[in-house]
Amino acid sequence: MARKKTITRDQILEAAYEVVAKEGFSKFTARNIAAKMKCSTQPIYLEFKNMEDLKQALLKEIFDYLSAEVLPKEQSGDKLVDLGFNYIKFATKEKQLYKALYLEEDLGDNSIQKFSFDYFVELVQQEPEYKDLPEDKLSALYTGFWIIVTGLAALTSANIMKPSDEEITTLLTEAVNNLTSNEDKLNQIFSGFKFH
């Protein structure tokens, strides 16, 4: 008779999430994840081909969580302002996970940048004023926006700044207005910036 699995794929992903959310990807090892579940590493390798396979499954779970529960919350009615606001709130509430994803870790690929850009483009193209932006201007808008919100997120996450929700919304509204008021200037400034 075959032995019944006692540790499931979901339990492994949950433990992996806890490790990354508390300690970052530098502690993302089979031993640390197994220790979190109080088991050997064998169940991990029965469910996943290798640690890269587990990491990609975990990143998919994290991206699904961000796109379904964190980033789309309506705050001000302006989708770009809301995106920035929610990103900053994520950085302050889930500091280690934010750092692991966006500041400290080299994930070995561009998955976080791709997720962020794709999410931004999908969101922006729902708005009539941005729907027909050429790719270069859309990319410049993303770059300018991302620089501003990442700066605010890093400063608030590190408790260097403690703006109120109203102050964040006002600041983001002004930033979005400035970024979108002169598309040619925006394109000129940010067209040379590339994310890796």
Side-chain angles (χ1 to χ4, degrees):
M1 179 188 279
R3 289 177 54 175
K4 184 181 175 195
K5 275 197 223 178
T6 57
I7 297 185
T8 67
R9 179 181 179 88
D10 287 342
Q11 289 171 318
I12 295 166
L13 284 167
E14 186 178 322
Y17 176 87
E18 287 177 27
V19 167
V20 171
K22 289 184 177 145
E23 303 177 63
F25 277 99
S26 63
K27 300 294 184 184
F28 181 77
T29 65
R31 282 190 181 181
N32 288 338
I33 294 165
K36 180 71 71 181
M37 294 184 297
K38 297 178 177 42
C39 69
S40 72
T41 60
Q42 185 183 20
I44 295 169
Y45 292 111
L46 288 173
E47 286 296 330
F48 298 94
K49 289 184 272 187
N50 52 41
M51 289 303 289
E52 181 61 27
D53 187 33
L54 173 55
K55 182 173 82 170
Q56 292 307 314
L58 176 62
L59 286 172
K60 183 186 179 320
E61 296 276 321
I62 291 171
F63 297 160
D64 289 349
Y65 163 67
L66 290 174
S67 60
E69 297 180 38
V70 175
L71 299 176
K73 292 179 184 172
E74 189 171 322
Q75 306 293 333
S76 70
D78 181 308
K79 288 183 189 264
L80 274 180
V81 171
D82 292 349
L83 173 59
F85 183 90
N86 294 328
Y87 176 79
I88 291 165
K89 286 300 180 182
F90 167 68
T92 57
K93 288 180 181 170
E94 298 191 49
K95 292 179 184 194
Q96 188 56 50
L97 182 57
Y98 166 74
K99 286 181 193 177
L101 290 170
Y102 289 98
L103 299 179
E104 295 177 349
E105 309 296 338
D106 178 8
L107 299 177
D109 58 23
N110 292 334
S111 57
I112 191 65
Q113 291 86 358
K114 182 176 177 356
F115 164 77
S116 299
F117 181 75
D118 291 349
Y119 187 90
F120 177 87
V121 169
E122 185 179 321
L123 182 83
V124 165
Q125 291 185 332
Q126 294 172 16
E127 295 297 307
E129 62 201 272
Y130 309 121
K131 186 176 179 197
D132 297 319
L133 275 181
E135 189 175 322
D136 61 334
K137 291 184 179 179
L138 185 62
S139 183
L141 176 61
Y142 168 77
T143 302
F145 176 81
W146 207 245
I147 288 170
I148 292 165
V149 298
T150 298
L152 287 169
L155 291 168
T156 56
S157 177
N159 291 322
I160 294 168
M161 280 178 52
K162 294 183 182 182
S164 68
D165 290 355
E166 186 177 290
E167 289 170 325
I168 293 170
T169 301
T170 300
L171 190 61
L172 289 173
T173 300
E174 288 301 314
V176 167
N177 288 339
N178 286 332
L179 287 169
T180 57
S181 65
N182 189 340
E183 292 172 11
D184 291 328
K185 184 77 167 171
L186 176 73
N187 196 37
Q188 188 178 36
I189 294 169
F190 294 113
S191 64
F193 286 79
K194 299 288 181 225
F195 288 94
H196 300 288

